[in-house]
Amino acid sequence: MEKTCEKFDVEFSREHLIEAFESAPIDKKMLEYAIQFKTDYTVGIITDNSVARVDTIMLKNNWSDIFELVIVSEEAKCTKKGTEIFEISAQRANVKPEECIFIDNKQKNVDSAIKAGFYGVYFDDEVRDYDSLFKSIEEIISSRL
């Protein structure tokens, strides 16, 4: 939490930061989709958010039961702007990069994942075209079988 305050040069009480982190909007449709895949696949998160924010959200929402792997750039010492964080995540999941599908709302992050050998799917979080997203993922999965 202290690092977050330093980064933005502001002072907030710990309680205010926790409250702010806990109020993060949750994409329930995306979460339901992740839960559906959990039975057959390792489902994880790769994020450039702060460790404190991710830990707070994970704890509040009981997500450790859903997401087996959480890679936070602050801990990994690299971001989604390059390929290293994707390489780290594949290693930790004990899978090959070509066995991974990465979804993100920034095309540049999807491009980095593709460079690392992942399948990449852009999801416009303003348009929220779930049918197109789910179809893209289904096509990737069926093409690999």
Side-chain angles (χ1 to χ4, degrees):
M1 305 274 180
E2 292 80 19
K3 287 182 182 181
T4 303
C5 287
E6 284 177 27
K7 182 176 180 178
F8 295 105
D9 193 30
V10 293
E11 288 188 32
F12 288 107
S13 70
R14 180 175 180 80
E15 292 75 26
H16 283 103
L17 282 176
I18 290 171
E19 184 179 318
F21 292 162
E22 287 181 343
S23 68
I26 305 301
D27 186 331
K28 290 186 173 134
K29 260 193 169 172
M30 192 71 79
L31 186 61
E32 289 170 11
Y33 198 61
I35 292 168
Q36 176 185 346
F37 274 90
K38 182 173 176 17
T39 57
D40 297 318
Y41 302 96
T42 298
V43 179
I45 296 173
I46 301 172
T47 181
D48 287 339
N49 280 291
S50 73
V51 171
R53 183 169 194 246
V54 172
D55 287 349
T56 302
I57 292 170
M58 293 287 294
L59 185 63
K60 179 184 186 292
N61 294 292
N62 253 350
W63 282 359
S64 60
D65 293 339
I66 300 168
F67 300 104
E68 298 172 57
L69 184 70
V70 179
I71 307 294
V72 181
S73 60
E74 185 179 3
E75 289 177 326
K77 307 289 188 234
C78 50
T79 68
K80 294 186 281 186
K81 292 178 185 171
T83 60
E84 188 177 6
I85 199 163
F86 300 102
E87 294 159 1
I88 290 168
S89 66
Q91 288 171 350
R92 288 192 190 164
N94 199 29
V95 295
K96 297 174 187 164
E98 61 268 20
E99 296 174 315
C100 300
I101 301 172
F102 176 74
I103 304 164
D104 203 277
N105 63 345
K106 293 182 181 170
Q107 186 63 51
K108 64 184 178 181
N109 294 339
V110 172
D111 294 342
S112 294
I114 291 169
K115 286 179 190 170
F118 284 41
Y119 288 91
V121 179
Y122 170 73
F123 180 68
D124 186 331
D125 61 358
E126 289 183 25
V127 174
R128 297 209 176 277
D129 183 356
Y130 293 100
D131 290 337
S132 178
L133 170 69
F134 301 157
K135 182 180 178 189
S136 295
I137 293 170
E138 296 292 336
E139 287 173 0
I140 292 168
I141 291 171
S142 65
S143 73
R144 292 181 35 213
L145 301 176

